[in-house]
Amino acid sequence: MFTGLIEETGSVVSLKRKGGNLILQVAAGCSQEISRGDSVALEGVCLTVSGVVRNSLLFDLMPVTIQNTTLKKLKRGDYLNLERAVRADSRLGGHILSGHVDCVGKIIRLVKGRPGIIYTVSYPPEYSPLIVSKGSVAVAGISLTIQAKLTGCFEVSLIPVTLDKTTLKLRKPGDEINLEFRN
């Protein structure tokens, strides 16, 4: 389980094909605190660490994960939101998340305001029943509250600290994004 409170951003070191799988290597400062078999959410996708090499983590991406998430578009140097799985004895902030991405949405608009930015995100129509104003959503693994539900899209507001700590500061209209809904 995850909370959607991003611990750090890491960067893609390499992507290598091995059979039908993809081996992803991500540079991460928290790599010394993570062991093989641990769960880590990358852009909201729950993955199992298959190895730790120097200051990076290795992940085996199965075809279904590649097909159903934005991880299919990764390239060397891309930045990713990282969150380690929560421990039973830790405080729970954010929202409880599974790391099982429901769908891929698309950023359609950014409106800069004070003090943050409002993101408008579209989603496939079959997910409309899961979207509730003031409900929770994970956008690229970031725990957010839906500010408004509109036709075919929703709005979320990001404060400066969230923008500073996550990859959303790098996103622009047209970018695809992993979504997990929990109401």
PDB file of all heavy atoms in Angstrom, residues 59-99:
ATOM      1  N   PHE A  59      13.856  -3.096 -11.942  1.00  0.00           N
ATOM      2  CA  PHE A  59      12.473  -3.566 -11.960  1.00  0.00           C
ATOM      3  C   PHE A  59      12.248  -4.361 -13.242  1.00  0.00           C
ATOM      4  O   PHE A  59      12.700  -3.954 -14.309  1.00  0.00           O
ATOM      5  CB  PHE A  59      11.486  -2.389 -11.947  1.00  0.00           C
ATOM      6  CG  PHE A  59      11.631  -1.477 -10.774  1.00  0.00           C
ATOM      7  CD1 PHE A  59      12.437  -0.356 -10.854  1.00  0.00           C
ATOM      8  CD2 PHE A  59      10.958  -1.734  -9.586  1.00  0.00           C
ATOM      9  CE1 PHE A  59      12.573   0.492  -9.767  1.00  0.00           C
ATOM     10  CE2 PHE A  59      11.086  -0.886  -8.505  1.00  0.00           C
ATOM     11  CZ  PHE A  59      11.894   0.235  -8.594  1.00  0.00           C
ATOM     12  N   ASP A  60      11.539  -5.479 -13.132  1.00  0.00           N
ATOM     13  CA  ASP A  60      11.101  -6.243 -14.302  1.00  0.00           C
ATOM     14  C   ASP A  60       9.688  -5.768 -14.628  1.00  0.00           C
ATOM     15  O   ASP A  60       8.779  -5.935 -13.819  1.00  0.00           O
ATOM     16  CB  ASP A  60      11.075  -7.746 -14.003  1.00  0.00           C
ATOM     17  CG  ASP A  60      12.455  -8.316 -13.774  1.00  0.00           C
ATOM     18  OD1 ASP A  60      13.365  -7.987 -14.554  1.00  0.00           O
ATOM     19  OD2 ASP A  60      12.622  -9.091 -12.816  1.00  0.00           O
ATOM     20  N   LEU A  61       9.506  -5.197 -15.807  1.00  0.00           N
ATOM     21  CA  LEU A  61       8.184  -4.735 -16.222  1.00  0.00           C
ATOM     22  C   LEU A  61       7.547  -5.804 -17.103  1.00  0.00           C
ATOM     23  O   LEU A  61       8.074  -6.147 -18.156  1.00  0.00           O
ATOM     24  CB  LEU A  61       8.278  -3.422 -16.999  1.00  0.00           C
ATOM     25  CG  LEU A  61       8.940  -2.251 -16.279  1.00  0.00           C
ATOM     26  CD1 LEU A  61       8.908  -1.013 -17.164  1.00  0.00           C
ATOM     27  CD2 LEU A  61       8.274  -1.977 -14.956  1.00  0.00           C
ATOM     28  N   MET A  62       6.432  -6.322 -16.660  1.00  0.00           N
ATOM     29  CA  MET A  62       5.706  -7.337 -17.413  1.00  0.00           C
ATOM     30  C   MET A  62       4.935  -6.667 -18.553  1.00  0.00           C
ATOM     31  O   MET A  62       4.604  -5.474 -18.485  1.00  0.00           O
ATOM     32  CB  MET A  62       4.750  -8.083 -16.488  1.00  0.00           C
ATOM     33  CG  MET A  62       5.442  -8.780 -15.325  1.00  0.00           C
ATOM     34  SD  MET A  62       6.684  -9.960 -15.860  1.00  0.00           S
ATOM     35  CE  MET A  62       5.643 -11.281 -16.425  1.00  0.00           C
ATOM     36  N   PRO A  63       4.610  -7.428 -19.613  1.00  0.00           N
ATOM     37  CA  PRO A  63       3.887  -6.843 -20.752  1.00  0.00           C
ATOM     38  C   PRO A  63       2.599  -6.130 -20.356  1.00  0.00           C
ATOM     39  O   PRO A  63       2.286  -5.064 -20.886  1.00  0.00           O
ATOM     40  CB  PRO A  63       3.616  -8.049 -21.656  1.00  0.00           C
ATOM     41  CG  PRO A  63       4.763  -8.974 -21.364  1.00  0.00           C
ATOM     42  CD  PRO A  63       5.008  -8.807 -19.876  1.00  0.00           C
ATOM     43  N   VAL A  64       1.825  -6.672 -19.413  1.00  0.00           N
ATOM     44  CA  VAL A  64       0.562  -6.038 -19.014  1.00  0.00           C
ATOM     45  C   VAL A  64       0.816  -4.672 -18.370  1.00  0.00           C
ATOM     46  O   VAL A  64       0.045  -3.726 -18.568  1.00  0.00           O
ATOM     47  CB  VAL A  64      -0.278  -6.965 -18.108  1.00  0.00           C
ATOM     48  CG1 VAL A  64       0.357  -7.147 -16.738  1.00  0.00           C
ATOM     49  CG2 VAL A  64      -1.699  -6.456 -17.982  1.00  0.00           C
ATOM     50  N   THR A  65       1.883  -4.545 -17.609  1.00  0.00           N
ATOM     51  CA  THR A  65       2.227  -3.261 -16.981  1.00  0.00           C
ATOM     52  C   THR A  65       2.633  -2.250 -18.054  1.00  0.00           C
ATOM     53  O   THR A  65       2.206  -1.097 -18.026  1.00  0.00           O
ATOM     54  CB  THR A  65       3.372  -3.447 -15.964  1.00  0.00           C
ATOM     55  OG1 THR A  65       2.956  -4.399 -14.983  1.00  0.00           O
ATOM     56  CG2 THR A  65       3.732  -2.142 -15.292  1.00  0.00           C
ATOM     57  N   ILE A  66       3.436  -2.702 -18.980  1.00  0.00           N
ATOM     58  CA  ILE A  66       3.885  -1.816 -20.066  1.00  0.00           C
ATOM     59  C   ILE A  66       2.685  -1.337 -20.873  1.00  0.00           C
ATOM     60  O   ILE A  66       2.547  -0.157 -21.178  1.00  0.00           O
ATOM     61  CB  ILE A  66       4.898  -2.547 -20.965  1.00  0.00           C
ATOM     62  CG1 ILE A  66       6.163  -2.894 -20.169  1.00  0.00           C
ATOM     63  CG2 ILE A  66       5.245  -1.710 -22.193  1.00  0.00           C
ATOM     64  CD1 ILE A  66       7.061  -3.914 -20.835  1.00  0.00           C
ATOM     65  N   GLN A  67       1.778  -2.255 -21.184  1.00  0.00           N
ATOM     66  CA  GLN A  67       0.620  -1.947 -22.023  1.00  0.00           C
ATOM     67  C   GLN A  67      -0.349  -0.974 -21.362  1.00  0.00           C
ATOM     68  O   GLN A  67      -0.945  -0.135 -22.024  1.00  0.00           O
ATOM     69  CB  GLN A  67      -0.103  -3.242 -22.372  1.00  0.00           C
ATOM     70  CG  GLN A  67      -1.341  -3.064 -23.215  1.00  0.00           C
ATOM     71  CD  GLN A  67      -2.024  -4.400 -23.474  1.00  0.00           C
ATOM     72  OE1 GLN A  67      -1.436  -5.459 -23.335  1.00  0.00           O
ATOM     73  NE2 GLN A  67      -3.287  -4.326 -23.843  1.00  0.00           N
ATOM     74  N   ASN A  68      -0.555  -1.082 -20.043  1.00  0.00           N
ATOM     75  CA  ASN A  68      -1.631  -0.348 -19.364  1.00  0.00           C
ATOM     76  C   ASN A  68      -1.193   0.871 -18.569  1.00  0.00           C
ATOM     77  O   ASN A  68      -2.001   1.422 -17.819  1.00  0.00           O
ATOM     78  CB  ASN A  68      -2.389  -1.311 -18.444  1.00  0.00           C
ATOM     79  CG  ASN A  68      -3.122  -2.369 -19.232  1.00  0.00           C
ATOM     80  OD1 ASN A  68      -3.785  -2.075 -20.206  1.00  0.00           O
ATOM     81  ND2 ASN A  68      -2.967  -3.615 -18.828  1.00  0.00           N
ATOM     82  N   THR A  69       0.054   1.297 -18.705  1.00  0.00           N
ATOM     83  CA  THR A  69       0.544   2.459 -17.962  1.00  0.00           C
ATOM     84  C   THR A  69       1.396   3.342 -18.870  1.00  0.00           C
ATOM     85  O   THR A  69       1.715   2.958 -20.006  1.00  0.00           O
ATOM     86  CB  THR A  69       1.402   2.031 -16.742  1.00  0.00           C
ATOM     87  OG1 THR A  69       2.633   1.473 -17.215  1.00  0.00           O
ATOM     88  CG2 THR A  69       0.661   1.031 -15.861  1.00  0.00           C
ATOM     89  N   THR A  70       1.782   4.468 -18.350  1.00  0.00           N
ATOM     90  CA  THR A  70       2.661   5.367 -19.106  1.00  0.00           C
ATOM     91  C   THR A  70       4.101   4.885 -19.127  1.00  0.00           C
ATOM     92  O   THR A  70       4.935   5.475 -19.819  1.00  0.00           O
ATOM     93  CB  THR A  70       2.629   6.791 -18.508  1.00  0.00           C
ATOM     94  OG1 THR A  70       3.096   6.737 -17.155  1.00  0.00           O
ATOM     95  CG2 THR A  70       1.242   7.392 -18.570  1.00  0.00           C
ATOM     96  N   LEU A  71       4.412   3.813 -18.392  1.00  0.00           N
ATOM     97  CA  LEU A  71       5.791   3.321 -18.376  1.00  0.00           C
ATOM     98  C   LEU A  71       6.243   2.870 -19.764  1.00  0.00           C
ATOM     99  O   LEU A  71       7.440   2.805 -20.035  1.00  0.00           O
ATOM    100  CB  LEU A  71       5.940   2.190 -17.355  1.00  0.00           C
ATOM    101  CG  LEU A  71       5.643   2.561 -15.895  1.00  0.00           C
ATOM    102  CD1 LEU A  71       5.921   1.381 -14.976  1.00  0.00           C
ATOM    103  CD2 LEU A  71       6.395   3.797 -15.439  1.00  0.00           C
ATOM    104  N   LYS A  72       5.312   2.590 -20.667  1.00  0.00           N
ATOM    105  CA  LYS A  72       5.655   2.176 -22.028  1.00  0.00           C
ATOM    106  C   LYS A  72       6.391   3.281 -22.794  1.00  0.00           C
ATOM    107  O   LYS A  72       7.065   3.007 -23.779  1.00  0.00           O
ATOM    108  CB  LYS A  72       4.414   1.730 -22.794  1.00  0.00           C
ATOM    109  CG  LYS A  72       3.405   2.828 -23.054  1.00  0.00           C
ATOM    110  CD  LYS A  72       2.182   2.279 -23.786  1.00  0.00           C
ATOM    111  CE  LYS A  72       0.987   3.177 -23.643  1.00  0.00           C
ATOM    112  NZ  LYS A  72       0.236   2.938 -22.422  1.00  0.00           N
ATOM    113  N   LYS A  73       6.282   4.514 -22.349  1.00  0.00           N
ATOM    114  CA  LYS A  73       6.888   5.632 -23.068  1.00  0.00           C
ATOM    115  C   LYS A  73       8.201   6.116 -22.444  1.00  0.00           C
ATOM    116  O   LYS A  73       8.744   7.132 -22.864  1.00  0.00           O
ATOM    117  CB  LYS A  73       5.898   6.788 -23.140  1.00  0.00           C
ATOM    118  CG  LYS A  73       4.679   6.439 -23.967  1.00  0.00           C
ATOM    119  CD  LYS A  73       3.806   7.624 -24.208  1.00  0.00           C
ATOM    120  CE  LYS A  73       2.700   7.214 -25.143  1.00  0.00           C
ATOM    121  NZ  LYS A  73       1.953   8.331 -25.651  1.00  0.00           N
ATOM    122  N   LEU A  74       8.691   5.389 -21.450  1.00  0.00           N
ATOM    123  CA  LEU A  74       9.914   5.827 -20.773  1.00  0.00           C
ATOM    124  C   LEU A  74      11.120   5.803 -21.695  1.00  0.00           C
ATOM    125  O   LEU A  74      11.236   4.956 -22.575  1.00  0.00           O
ATOM    126  CB  LEU A  74      10.207   4.931 -19.567  1.00  0.00           C
ATOM    127  CG  LEU A  74       9.280   5.050 -18.379  1.00  0.00           C
ATOM    128  CD1 LEU A  74       9.695   4.059 -17.300  1.00  0.00           C
ATOM    129  CD2 LEU A  74       9.267   6.462 -17.831  1.00  0.00           C
ATOM    130  N   LYS A  75      12.030   6.742 -21.425  1.00  0.00           N
ATOM    131  CA  LYS A  75      13.316   6.743 -22.103  1.00  0.00           C
ATOM    132  C   LYS A  75      14.392   7.187 -21.121  1.00  0.00           C
ATOM    133  O   LYS A  75      14.088   7.758 -20.071  1.00  0.00           O
ATOM    134  CB  LYS A  75      13.276   7.609 -23.353  1.00  0.00           C
ATOM    135  CG  LYS A  75      12.905   9.058 -23.133  1.00  0.00           C
ATOM    136  CD  LYS A  75      12.697   9.760 -24.464  1.00  0.00           C
ATOM    137  CE  LYS A  75      12.295  11.204 -24.293  1.00  0.00           C
ATOM    138  NZ  LYS A  75      11.207  11.478 -23.404  1.00  0.00           N
ATOM    139  N   ARG A  76      15.613   6.888 -21.447  1.00  0.00           N
ATOM    140  CA  ARG A  76      16.748   7.224 -20.586  1.00  0.00           C
ATOM    141  C   ARG A  76      16.698   8.714 -20.217  1.00  0.00           C
ATOM    142  O   ARG A  76      16.457   9.562 -21.062  1.00  0.00           O
ATOM    143  CB  ARG A  76      18.043   6.896 -21.318  1.00  0.00           C
ATOM    144  CG  ARG A  76      19.271   7.119 -20.491  1.00  0.00           C
ATOM    145  CD  ARG A  76      20.520   6.780 -21.321  1.00  0.00           C
ATOM    146  NE  ARG A  76      21.689   7.258 -20.667  1.00  0.00           N
ATOM    147  CZ  ARG A  76      22.448   6.526 -19.871  1.00  0.00           C
ATOM    148  NH1 ARG A  76      22.140   5.272 -19.640  1.00  0.00           N
ATOM    149  NH2 ARG A  76      23.504   7.055 -19.299  1.00  0.00           N
ATOM    150  N   GLY A  77      16.869   8.998 -18.917  1.00  0.00           N
ATOM    151  CA  GLY A  77      16.879  10.373 -18.433  1.00  0.00           C
ATOM    152  C   GLY A  77      15.535  10.877 -17.939  1.00  0.00           C
ATOM    153  O   GLY A  77      15.476  11.917 -17.292  1.00  0.00           O
ATOM    154  N   ASP A  78      14.444  10.168 -18.247  1.00  0.00           N
ATOM    155  CA  ASP A  78      13.123  10.587 -17.763  1.00  0.00           C
ATOM    156  C   ASP A  78      13.092  10.537 -16.237  1.00  0.00           C
ATOM    157  O   ASP A  78      13.687   9.655 -15.627  1.00  0.00           O
ATOM    158  CB  ASP A  78      12.019   9.674 -18.306  1.00  0.00           C
ATOM    159  CG  ASP A  78      11.644   9.970 -19.740  1.00  0.00           C
ATOM    160  OD1 ASP A  78      12.106  10.996 -20.290  1.00  0.00           O
ATOM    161  OD2 ASP A  78      10.892   9.163 -20.328  1.00  0.00           O
ATOM    162  N   TYR A  79      12.366  11.467 -15.644  1.00  0.00           N
ATOM    163  CA  TYR A  79      12.209  11.504 -14.189  1.00  0.00           C
ATOM    164  C   TYR A  79      10.915  10.822 -13.790  1.00  0.00           C
ATOM    165  O   TYR A  79       9.906  10.921 -14.499  1.00  0.00           O
ATOM    166  CB  TYR A  79      12.220  12.955 -13.682  1.00  0.00           C
ATOM    167  CG  TYR A  79      13.600  13.550 -13.749  1.00  0.00           C
ATOM    168  CD1 TYR A  79      13.987  14.319 -14.833  1.00  0.00           C
ATOM    169  CD2 TYR A  79      14.520  13.321 -12.725  1.00  0.00           C
ATOM    170  CE1 TYR A  79      15.265  14.853 -14.904  1.00  0.00           C
ATOM    171  CE2 TYR A  79      15.800  13.850 -12.788  1.00  0.00           C
ATOM    172  CZ  TYR A  79      16.165  14.613 -13.884  1.00  0.00           C
ATOM    173  OH  TYR A  79      17.436  15.114 -13.953  1.00  0.00           O
ATOM    174  N   LEU A  80      10.963  10.137 -12.635  1.00  0.00           N
ATOM    175  CA  LEU A  80       9.827   9.376 -12.133  1.00  0.00           C
ATOM    176  C   LEU A  80       9.588   9.687 -10.663  1.00  0.00           C
ATOM    177  O   LEU A  80      10.536   9.832  -9.892  1.00  0.00           O
ATOM    178  CB  LEU A  80      10.115   7.870 -12.236  1.00  0.00           C
ATOM    179  CG  LEU A  80      10.462   7.324 -13.609  1.00  0.00           C
ATOM    180  CD1 LEU A  80      11.035   5.934 -13.491  1.00  0.00           C
ATOM    181  CD2 LEU A  80       9.225   7.320 -14.464  1.00  0.00           C
ATOM    182  N   ASN A  81       8.314   9.751 -10.272  1.00  0.00           N
ATOM    183  CA  ASN A  81       7.956   9.858  -8.855  1.00  0.00           C
ATOM    184  C   ASN A  81       8.179   8.507  -8.195  1.00  0.00           C
ATOM    185  O   ASN A  81       7.769   7.483  -8.743  1.00  0.00           O
ATOM    186  CB  ASN A  81       6.476  10.250  -8.698  1.00  0.00           C
ATOM    187  CG  ASN A  81       6.210  11.651  -9.174  1.00  0.00           C
ATOM    188  OD1 ASN A  81       7.002  12.555  -8.969  1.00  0.00           O
ATOM    189  ND2 ASN A  81       5.069  11.845  -9.821  1.00  0.00           N
ATOM    190  N   LEU A  82       8.816   8.507  -7.013  1.00  0.00           N
ATOM    191  CA  LEU A  82       9.056   7.274  -6.270  1.00  0.00           C
ATOM    192  C   LEU A  82       8.452   7.360  -4.882  1.00  0.00           C
ATOM    193  O   LEU A  82       8.561   8.399  -4.213  1.00  0.00           O
ATOM    194  CB  LEU A  82      10.558   7.032  -6.086  1.00  0.00           C
ATOM    195  CG  LEU A  82      11.323   6.411  -7.232  1.00  0.00           C
ATOM    196  CD1 LEU A  82      11.753   7.468  -8.210  1.00  0.00           C
ATOM    197  CD2 LEU A  82      12.523   5.679  -6.687  1.00  0.00           C
ATOM    198  N   GLU A  83       7.835   6.260  -4.465  1.00  0.00           N
ATOM    199  CA  GLU A  83       7.351   6.129  -3.097  1.00  0.00           C
ATOM    200  C   GLU A  83       7.521   4.684  -2.666  1.00  0.00           C
ATOM    201  O   GLU A  83       7.085   3.766  -3.367  1.00  0.00           O
ATOM    202  CB  GLU A  83       5.873   6.513  -2.986  1.00  0.00           C
ATOM    203  CG  GLU A  83       5.356   6.382  -1.565  1.00  0.00           C
ATOM    204  CD  GLU A  83       3.847   6.549  -1.418  1.00  0.00           C
ATOM    205  OE1 GLU A  83       3.155   6.794  -2.420  1.00  0.00           O
ATOM    206  OE2 GLU A  83       3.373   6.406  -0.279  1.00  0.00           O
ATOM    207  N   ARG A  84       8.164   4.490  -1.532  1.00  0.00           N
ATOM    208  CA  ARG A  84       8.264   3.146  -0.964  1.00  0.00           C
ATOM    209  C   ARG A  84       6.925   2.779  -0.339  1.00  0.00           C
ATOM    210  O   ARG A  84       6.168   3.642   0.095  1.00  0.00           O
ATOM    211  CB  ARG A  84       9.358   3.096   0.109  1.00  0.00           C
ATOM    212  CG  ARG A  84      10.745   3.255  -0.473  1.00  0.00           C
ATOM    213  CD  ARG A  84      11.785   3.300   0.595  1.00  0.00           C
ATOM    214  NE  ARG A  84      11.632   4.577   1.316  1.00  0.00           N
ATOM    215  CZ  ARG A  84      12.242   4.860   2.447  1.00  0.00           C
ATOM    216  NH1 ARG A  84      13.033   3.998   3.033  1.00  0.00           N
ATOM    217  NH2 ARG A  84      12.057   6.035   3.019  1.00  0.00           N
ATOM    218  N   ALA A  85       6.633   1.478  -0.264  1.00  0.00           N
ATOM    219  CA  ALA A  85       5.402   1.019   0.380  1.00  0.00           C
ATOM    220  C   ALA A  85       5.401   1.466   1.839  1.00  0.00           C
ATOM    221  O   ALA A  85       6.459   1.548   2.471  1.00  0.00           O
ATOM    222  CB  ALA A  85       5.303  -0.494   0.297  1.00  0.00           C
ATOM    223  N   VAL A  86       4.213   1.781   2.365  1.00  0.00           N
ATOM    224  CA  VAL A  86       4.106   2.212   3.761  1.00  0.00           C
ATOM    225  C   VAL A  86       4.309   1.033   4.696  1.00  0.00           C
ATOM    226  O   VAL A  86       4.000  -0.098   4.355  1.00  0.00           O
ATOM    227  CB  VAL A  86       2.745   2.900   4.077  1.00  0.00           C
ATOM    228  CG1 VAL A  86       2.591   4.179   3.308  1.00  0.00           C
ATOM    229  CG2 VAL A  86       1.596   1.976   3.834  1.00  0.00           C
ATOM    230  N   ARG A  87       4.831   1.330   5.852  1.00  0.00           N
ATOM    231  CA  ARG A  87       4.968   0.327   6.900  1.00  0.00           C
ATOM    232  C   ARG A  87       3.756   0.419   7.815  1.00  0.00           C
ATOM    233  O   ARG A  87       3.172   1.485   7.985  1.00  0.00           O
ATOM    234  CB  ARG A  87       6.246   0.578   7.704  1.00  0.00           C
ATOM    235  CG  ARG A  87       7.494   0.438   6.885  1.00  0.00           C
ATOM    236  CD  ARG A  87       8.738   0.874   7.593  1.00  0.00           C
ATOM    237  NE  ARG A  87       8.563   0.984   9.039  1.00  0.00           N
ATOM    238  CZ  ARG A  87       9.534   0.910   9.912  1.00  0.00           C
ATOM    239  NH1 ARG A  87      10.767   0.747   9.516  1.00  0.00           N
ATOM    240  NH2 ARG A  87       9.308   1.032  11.205  1.00  0.00           N
ATOM    241  N   ALA A  88       3.396  -0.686   8.433  1.00  0.00           N
ATOM    242  CA  ALA A  88       2.224  -0.729   9.306  1.00  0.00           C
ATOM    243  C   ALA A  88       2.375   0.178  10.520  1.00  0.00           C
ATOM    244  O   ALA A  88       1.379   0.621  11.094  1.00  0.00           O
ATOM    245  CB  ALA A  88       1.950  -2.157   9.751  1.00  0.00           C
ATOM    246  N   ASP A  89       3.593   0.490  10.915  1.00  0.00           N
ATOM    247  CA  ASP A  89       3.814   1.308  12.112  1.00  0.00           C
ATOM    248  C   ASP A  89       4.096   2.772  11.795  1.00  0.00           C
ATOM    249  O   ASP A  89       4.538   3.520  12.661  1.00  0.00           O
ATOM    250  CB  ASP A  89       4.951   0.719  12.952  1.00  0.00           C
ATOM    251  CG  ASP A  89       6.301   0.764  12.248  1.00  0.00           C
ATOM    252  OD1 ASP A  89       6.333   0.999  11.021  1.00  0.00           O
ATOM    253  OD2 ASP A  89       7.314   0.560  12.926  1.00  0.00           O
ATOM    254  N   SER A  90       3.832   3.212  10.551  1.00  0.00           N
ATOM    255  CA  SER A  90       4.111   4.606  10.206  1.00  0.00           C
ATOM    256  C   SER A  90       2.819   5.416  10.115  1.00  0.00           C
ATOM    257  O   SER A  90       1.730   4.865   9.981  1.00  0.00           O
ATOM    258  CB  SER A  90       4.882   4.686   8.884  1.00  0.00           C
ATOM    259  OG  SER A  90       4.094   4.202   7.831  1.00  0.00           O
ATOM    260  N   ARG A  91       2.971   6.729  10.195  1.00  0.00           N
ATOM    261  CA  ARG A  91       1.823   7.618  10.021  1.00  0.00           C
ATOM    262  C   ARG A  91       1.348   7.541   8.583  1.00  0.00           C
ATOM    263  O   ARG A  91       2.133   7.417   7.664  1.00  0.00           O
ATOM    264  CB  ARG A  91       2.226   9.058  10.345  1.00  0.00           C
ATOM    265  CG  ARG A  91       2.517   9.273  11.808  1.00  0.00           C
ATOM    266  CD  ARG A  91       2.830  10.712  12.079  1.00  0.00           C
ATOM    267  NE  ARG A  91       1.612  11.476  11.823  1.00  0.00           N
ATOM    268  CZ  ARG A  91       1.543  12.793  11.914  1.00  0.00           C
ATOM    269  NH1 ARG A  91       2.595  13.482  12.226  1.00  0.00           N
ATOM    270  NH2 ARG A  91       0.418  13.418  11.692  1.00  0.00           N
ATOM    271  N   LEU A  92       0.043   7.638   8.398  1.00  0.00           N
ATOM    272  CA  LEU A  92      -0.519   7.603   7.054  1.00  0.00           C
ATOM    273  C   LEU A  92      -1.014   8.990   6.682  1.00  0.00           C
ATOM    274  O   LEU A  92      -1.987   9.474   7.237  1.00  0.00           O
ATOM    275  CB  LEU A  92      -1.678   6.603   6.981  1.00  0.00           C
ATOM    276  CG  LEU A  92      -1.328   5.144   7.268  1.00  0.00           C
ATOM    277  CD1 LEU A  92      -2.590   4.299   7.256  1.00  0.00           C
ATOM    278  CD2 LEU A  92      -0.326   4.628   6.268  1.00  0.00           C
ATOM    279  N   GLY A  93      -0.345   9.627   5.754  1.00  0.00           N
ATOM    280  CA  GLY A  93      -0.811  10.896   5.219  1.00  0.00           C
ATOM    281  C   GLY A  93      -1.377  10.612   3.837  1.00  0.00           C
ATOM    282  O   GLY A  93      -1.439   9.469   3.396  1.00  0.00           O
ATOM    283  N   GLY A  94      -1.785  11.621   3.137  1.00  0.00           N
ATOM    284  CA  GLY A  94      -2.296  11.406   1.782  1.00  0.00           C
ATOM    285  C   GLY A  94      -3.544  10.549   1.784  1.00  0.00           C
ATOM    286  O   GLY A  94      -4.420  10.702   2.630  1.00  0.00           O
ATOM    287  N   HIS A  95      -3.645   9.642   0.822  1.00  0.00           N
ATOM    288  CA  HIS A  95      -4.764   8.719   0.688  1.00  0.00           C
ATOM    289  C   HIS A  95      -4.196   7.309   0.559  1.00  0.00           C
ATOM    290  O   HIS A  95      -3.095   7.129   0.063  1.00  0.00           O
ATOM    291  CB  HIS A  95      -5.586   9.022  -0.564  1.00  0.00           C
ATOM    292  CG  HIS A  95      -6.114  10.416  -0.604  1.00  0.00           C
ATOM    293  ND1 HIS A  95      -5.697  11.332  -1.542  1.00  0.00           N
ATOM    294  CD2 HIS A  95      -7.008  11.061   0.165  1.00  0.00           C
ATOM    295  CE1 HIS A  95      -6.333  12.488  -1.339  1.00  0.00           C
ATOM    296  NE2 HIS A  95      -7.137  12.344  -0.311  1.00  0.00           N
ATOM    297  N   ILE A  96      -4.930   6.316   0.971  1.00  0.00           N
ATOM    298  CA  ILE A  96      -4.490   4.936   0.799  1.00  0.00           C
ATOM    299  C   ILE A  96      -4.602   4.573  -0.684  1.00  0.00           C
ATOM    300  O   ILE A  96      -5.664   4.705  -1.288  1.00  0.00           O
ATOM    301  CB  ILE A  96      -5.346   3.969   1.644  1.00  0.00           C
ATOM    302  CG1 ILE A  96      -5.213   4.301   3.132  1.00  0.00           C
ATOM    303  CG2 ILE A  96      -4.962   2.523   1.360  1.00  0.00           C
ATOM    304  CD1 ILE A  96      -3.817   4.133   3.689  1.00  0.00           C
ATOM    305  N   LEU A  97      -3.493   4.116  -1.256  1.00  0.00           N
ATOM    306  CA  LEU A  97      -3.433   3.743  -2.665  1.00  0.00           C
ATOM    307  C   LEU A  97      -2.889   2.332  -2.802  1.00  0.00           C
ATOM    308  O   LEU A  97      -2.068   1.902  -1.994  1.00  0.00           O
ATOM    309  CB  LEU A  97      -2.519   4.706  -3.432  1.00  0.00           C
ATOM    310  CG  LEU A  97      -2.873   6.189  -3.367  1.00  0.00           C
ATOM    311  CD1 LEU A  97      -1.770   7.026  -3.980  1.00  0.00           C
ATOM    312  CD2 LEU A  97      -4.193   6.441  -4.067  1.00  0.00           C
ATOM    313  N   SER A  98      -3.305   1.646  -3.839  1.00  0.00           N
ATOM    314  CA  SER A  98      -2.820   0.286  -4.068  1.00  0.00           C
ATOM    315  C   SER A  98      -1.625   0.248  -5.008  1.00  0.00           C
ATOM    316  O   SER A  98      -0.869  -0.709  -5.006  1.00  0.00           O
ATOM    317  CB  SER A  98      -3.948  -0.580  -4.643  1.00  0.00           C
ATOM    318  OG  SER A  98      -4.279  -0.127  -5.946  1.00  0.00           O
ATOM    319  N   GLY A  99      -1.480   1.268  -5.847  1.00  0.00           N
ATOM    320  CA  GLY A  99      -0.442   1.233  -6.872  1.00  0.00           C
ATOM    321  C   GLY A  99      -0.890   0.465  -8.096  1.00  0.00           C
ATOM    322  O   GLY A  99      -0.104   0.170  -8.978  1.00  0.00           O
TER     323      GLY A  99
END
